[in-house]
Amino acid sequence: MRAEDVRTIGVVGAGTMGQQIALLGALHGFTVGVHDAIGEALKKAEAWAHTYLDGRVDKGRLTRAEADAALGRLTFASDLAGAVGQADLVIEAIVEKLEAKRDLFAQLDRLTPPHALLATNSSTIVSSRLMDVTSRPEKVLNLHFFNPPLVMELVEVCRNAKTTDETVAVAMGTCRRLGKSPILLKREIFGFVVNRLLWAVGNEAMSLVEQGIATPEEIDTAMVKGARYPIGPFALMDMNGIDVGYLVRMERYRESGNEADRPPRIMVEKYEKGEWGRKTGKGWYDHSTQGAEGRKP
Ligand SMILES: NC(=O)c1ccc[n+]([C@@H]2O[C@H](COP(=O)([O-])OP(=O)(O)OC[C@H]3O[C@@H](n4cnc5c(N)ncnc54)[C@H](O)[C@@H]3O)[C@@H](O)[C@H]2O)c1
């Protein structure tokens, strides 16, 4: 198969990532089947797609005909087979739990055409931990989109030891057809590229606070004004959730056993106090007086 031969994409998991990846595919001319284990989540994703497209039409970014054509290419299926049975490529975007993903990949192997690529959008689970439940490890890989997938241009494509060059070429080419700029990771590493670099900056930022060198506000100002970051590391942690940052560092520490990978002390304190950022009204910043969205970076 070549990238040009990919016509149908299956998306499993219709949450934050899946609903946008599905719509992205439909907007770029692919036929897309979406499935979620929770009927309510599927309904919400469908309603969101309509609202999003209506908004684009209202703003003059899409014609009504283009929006309707995208909706016409999108199917929300309550059964997994209905979403992936014809797929050339499946993108899995379900809960970040290894056993759930392994169980799903085994099902995908049974339900999809033999030529289909099976990709995971996981942020932390590399595809070599999923490939052995399938009969096609050479067609299994990570396609790591960024949130929000309709906006963020990067996809990290990560091959495992068995992924073939053909699979990589199809995946890279399909990402380009989705309007993305993919980068290829030649072998697996926890956190891929972007998150590893963000963690490094975040950890150093927290270390500077722990040492009493500067406050979170000062460090954010420094990185925005001095390094042209669009958002400082503390504002970013508040936006993404300090709980998420903590849990992912704990996972990295569990995998590596390296003490240096443990979350910094002040992050552990924030996690344990339930001060997780915008979602709880308080993190490194106080978001309580500024509505659900909290302090804009
Ligand atoms: N949120 C992010 O910023 C982000 C960024 C990049 C990658 N990711 C990765 O994307 C994946 C999804 O993350 P998300 O933030 O969209 O999660 P989410 O919780 O918003 O959505 C997950 C959806 O999957 C559904 N689901 C769970 N188990 C399922 C199953 N067995 N079959 C079908 N559907 C199932 C849930 O009902 C839910 O609707 C994760 O692997 C995560 O690591 C997330």
Side-chain angles (χ1 to χ4, degrees), residues 253-271:
Y253 168 62
R254 264 193 292 274
E255 279 205 8
S256 72
N258 183 348
E259 284 301 315
D261 288 337
R262 269 188 188 279
R265 178 182 50 78
I266 55 171
M267 181 175 231
V268 177
E269 285 166 12
K270 284 276 170 209
Y271 178 78

mmCIF file of all heavy atoms in Angstrom, residues 253-271:
data_model
loop_
_atom_site.group_PDB
_atom_site.id
_atom_site.type_symbol
_atom_site.label_atom_id
_atom_site.label_comp_id
_atom_site.label_asym_id
_atom_site.label_seq_id
_atom_site.Cartn_x
_atom_site.Cartn_y
_atom_site.Cartn_z
ATOM 1 N N TYR A 253 9.406 7.343 35.646
ATOM 2 C CA TYR A 253 10.274 6.881 36.738
ATOM 3 C C TYR A 253 10.125 5.369 36.944
ATOM 4 O O TYR A 253 11.106 4.644 37.100
ATOM 5 C CB TYR A 253 9.934 7.658 38.014
ATOM 6 C CG TYR A 253 10.568 7.076 39.248
ATOM 7 C CD1 TYR A 253 11.952 7.014 39.376
ATOM 8 C CD2 TYR A 253 9.781 6.574 40.288
ATOM 9 C CE1 TYR A 253 12.536 6.463 40.511
ATOM 10 C CE2 TYR A 253 10.355 6.035 41.411
ATOM 11 C CZ TYR A 253 11.737 5.978 41.519
ATOM 12 O OH TYR A 253 12.311 5.422 42.625
ATOM 13 N N ARG A 254 8.863 4.889 36.905
ATOM 14 C CA ARG A 254 8.619 3.447 37.069
ATOM 15 C C ARG A 254 9.326 2.663 35.961
ATOM 16 O O ARG A 254 9.884 1.599 36.196
ATOM 17 C CB ARG A 254 7.116 3.145 37.020
ATOM 18 C CG ARG A 254 6.474 3.063 38.404
ATOM 19 C CD ARG A 254 5.078 2.463 38.331
ATOM 20 N NE ARG A 254 4.137 3.345 37.653
ATOM 21 C CZ ARG A 254 3.466 4.316 38.269
ATOM 22 N NH1 ARG A 254 3.603 4.523 39.562
ATOM 23 N NH2 ARG A 254 2.643 5.088 37.604
ATOM 24 N N GLU A 255 9.290 3.206 34.744
ATOM 25 C CA GLU A 255 9.909 2.490 33.612
ATOM 26 C C GLU A 255 11.424 2.518 33.681
ATOM 27 O O GLU A 255 12.084 1.533 33.385
ATOM 28 C CB GLU A 255 9.464 3.114 32.283
ATOM 29 C CG GLU A 255 8.117 2.623 31.861
ATOM 30 C CD GLU A 255 7.890 2.708 30.354
ATOM 31 O OE1 GLU A 255 8.823 3.017 29.593
ATOM 32 O OE2 GLU A 255 6.746 2.443 29.953
ATOM 33 N N SER A 256 11.984 3.672 34.078
ATOM 34 C CA SER A 256 13.450 3.808 34.013
ATOM 35 C C SER A 256 14.126 3.414 35.322
ATOM 36 O O SER A 256 15.284 2.991 35.324
ATOM 37 C CB SER A 256 13.820 5.261 33.686
ATOM 38 O OG SER A 256 13.562 6.097 34.810
ATOM 39 N N GLY A 257 13.402 3.570 36.454
ATOM 40 C CA GLY A 257 14.011 3.329 37.762
ATOM 41 C C GLY A 257 15.067 4.377 38.104
ATOM 42 O O GLY A 257 15.775 4.256 39.103
ATOM 43 N N ASN A 258 15.144 5.426 37.315
ATOM 44 C CA ASN A 258 16.154 6.474 37.498
ATOM 45 C C ASN A 258 15.609 7.555 38.442
ATOM 46 O O ASN A 258 14.587 8.174 38.149
ATOM 47 C CB ASN A 258 16.487 7.057 36.118
ATOM 48 C CG ASN A 258 17.582 8.093 36.183
ATOM 49 O OD1 ASN A 258 17.958 8.542 37.263
ATOM 50 N ND2 ASN A 258 18.090 8.466 35.023
ATOM 51 N N GLU A 259 16.308 7.787 39.571
ATOM 52 C CA GLU A 259 15.830 8.758 40.570
ATOM 53 C C GLU A 259 15.622 10.146 39.956
ATOM 54 O O GLU A 259 14.746 10.895 40.379
ATOM 55 C CB GLU A 259 16.810 8.856 41.737
ATOM 56 C CG GLU A 259 16.732 7.670 42.699
ATOM 57 C CD GLU A 259 15.352 7.473 43.322
ATOM 58 O OE1 GLU A 259 14.743 8.463 43.766
ATOM 59 O OE2 GLU A 259 14.860 6.326 43.324
ATOM 60 N N ALA A 260 16.446 10.476 38.962
ATOM 61 C CA ALA A 260 16.348 11.798 38.337
ATOM 62 C C ALA A 260 15.013 11.977 37.610
ATOM 63 O O ALA A 260 14.608 13.104 37.313
ATOM 64 C CB ALA A 260 17.499 12.001 37.352
ATOM 65 N N ASP A 261 14.325 10.873 37.321
ATOM 66 C CA ASP A 261 13.041 10.958 36.624
ATOM 67 C C ASP A 261 11.860 11.167 37.574
ATOM 68 O O ASP A 261 10.725 11.326 37.129
ATOM 69 C CB ASP A 261 12.803 9.690 35.780
ATOM 70 C CG ASP A 261 13.710 9.644 34.564
ATOM 71 O OD1 ASP A 261 14.183 10.719 34.134
ATOM 72 O OD2 ASP A 261 13.950 8.534 34.041
ATOM 73 N N ARG A 262 12.111 11.124 38.889
ATOM 74 C CA ARG A 262 11.009 11.355 39.838
ATOM 75 C C ARG A 262 10.467 12.780 39.678
ATOM 76 O O ARG A 262 11.246 13.705 39.423
ATOM 77 C CB ARG A 262 11.530 11.245 41.273
ATOM 78 C CG ARG A 262 11.452 9.874 41.872
ATOM 79 C CD ARG A 262 11.814 9.994 43.334
ATOM 80 N NE ARG A 262 11.943 8.702 43.974
ATOM 81 C CZ ARG A 262 10.898 7.990 44.403
ATOM 82 N NH1 ARG A 262 9.681 8.448 44.272
ATOM 83 N NH2 ARG A 262 11.097 6.820 44.965
ATOM 84 N N PRO A 263 9.145 12.986 39.883
ATOM 85 C CA PRO A 263 8.630 14.351 39.815
ATOM 86 C C PRO A 263 9.280 15.208 40.905
ATOM 87 O O PRO A 263 9.506 14.715 42.009
ATOM 88 C CB PRO A 263 7.133 14.193 40.094
ATOM 89 C CG PRO A 263 6.840 12.749 40.108
ATOM 90 C CD PRO A 263 8.113 11.991 40.201
ATOM 91 N N PRO A 264 9.574 16.495 40.628
ATOM 92 C CA PRO A 264 10.157 17.377 41.639
ATOM 93 C C PRO A 264 9.248 17.505 42.871
ATOM 94 O O PRO A 264 8.017 17.378 42.751
ATOM 95 C CB PRO A 264 10.274 18.716 40.912
ATOM 96 C CG PRO A 264 10.263 18.380 39.464
ATOM 97 C CD PRO A 264 9.425 17.150 39.324
ATOM 98 N N ARG A 265 9.873 17.801 44.007
ATOM 99 C CA ARG A 265 9.142 17.855 45.290
ATOM 100 C C ARG A 265 7.947 18.816 45.222
ATOM 101 O O ARG A 265 6.849 18.470 45.648
ATOM 102 C CB ARG A 265 10.104 18.299 46.398
ATOM 103 C CG ARG A 265 9.457 18.437 47.767
ATOM 104 C CD ARG A 265 10.447 18.916 48.821
ATOM 105 N NE ARG A 265 11.207 20.097 48.438
ATOM 106 C CZ ARG A 265 10.729 21.352 48.459
ATOM 107 N NH1 ARG A 265 9.497 21.590 48.857
ATOM 108 N NH2 ARG A 265 11.496 22.364 48.089
ATOM 109 N N ILE A 266 8.150 20.023 44.656
ATOM 110 C CA ILE A 266 7.031 20.981 44.671
ATOM 111 C C ILE A 266 5.887 20.519 43.768
ATOM 112 O O ILE A 266 4.739 20.879 43.977
ATOM 113 C CB ILE A 266 7.464 22.432 44.313
ATOM 114 C CG1 ILE A 266 8.183 22.505 42.969
ATOM 115 C CG2 ILE A 266 8.293 23.044 45.438
ATOM 116 C CD1 ILE A 266 8.425 23.949 42.510
ATOM 117 N N MET A 267 6.192 19.682 42.798
ATOM 118 C CA MET A 267 5.124 19.138 41.955
ATOM 119 C C MET A 267 4.333 18.071 42.728
ATOM 120 O O MET A 267 3.099 18.014 42.650
ATOM 121 C CB MET A 267 5.726 18.538 40.690
ATOM 122 C CG MET A 267 4.671 17.981 39.754
ATOM 123 S SD MET A 267 5.380 17.411 38.204
ATOM 124 C CE MET A 267 4.316 18.247 37.044
ATOM 125 N N VAL A 268 5.052 17.260 43.508
ATOM 126 C CA VAL A 268 4.382 16.248 44.330
ATOM 127 C C VAL A 268 3.434 16.948 45.302
ATOM 128 O O VAL A 268 2.280 16.528 45.484
ATOM 129 C CB VAL A 268 5.425 15.398 45.103
ATOM 130 C CG1 VAL A 268 4.731 14.391 46.019
ATOM 131 C CG2 VAL A 268 6.376 14.694 44.136
ATOM 132 N N GLU A 269 3.896 18.047 45.904
ATOM 133 C CA GLU A 269 3.049 18.786 46.866
ATOM 134 C C GLU A 269 1.787 19.300 46.181
ATOM 135 O O GLU A 269 0.684 19.164 46.702
ATOM 136 C CB GLU A 269 3.825 19.965 47.461
ATOM 137 C CG GLU A 269 4.847 19.508 48.496
ATOM 138 C CD GLU A 269 5.869 20.602 48.847
ATOM 139 O OE1 GLU A 269 5.663 21.783 48.464
ATOM 140 O OE2 GLU A 269 6.878 20.254 49.476
ATOM 141 N N LYS A 270 1.954 19.883 45.013
ATOM 142 C CA LYS A 270 0.786 20.399 44.275
ATOM 143 C C LYS A 270 -0.180 19.255 43.964
ATOM 144 O O LYS A 270 -1.394 19.390 44.106
ATOM 145 C CB LYS A 270 1.223 21.040 42.942
ATOM 146 C CG LYS A 270 1.848 22.391 43.085
ATOM 147 C CD LYS A 270 0.779 23.457 43.153
ATOM 148 C CE LYS A 270 1.389 24.786 43.550
ATOM 149 N NZ LYS A 270 0.481 25.657 44.257
ATOM 150 N N TYR A 271 0.389 18.137 43.532
ATOM 151 C CA TYR A 271 -0.460 16.984 43.172
ATOM 152 C C TYR A 271 -1.248 16.530 44.400
ATOM 153 O O TYR A 271 -2.461 16.334 44.335
ATOM 154 C CB TYR A 271 0.405 15.848 42.633
ATOM 155 C CG TYR A 271 -0.415 14.625 42.293
ATOM 156 C CD1 TYR A 271 -1.160 14.574 41.125
ATOM 157 C CD2 TYR A 271 -0.468 13.534 43.160
ATOM 158 C CE1 TYR A 271 -1.948 13.468 40.818
ATOM 159 C CE2 TYR A 271 -1.245 12.420 42.859
ATOM 160 C CZ TYR A 271 -1.978 12.395 41.693
ATOM 161 O OH TYR A 271 -2.761 11.308 41.403
#
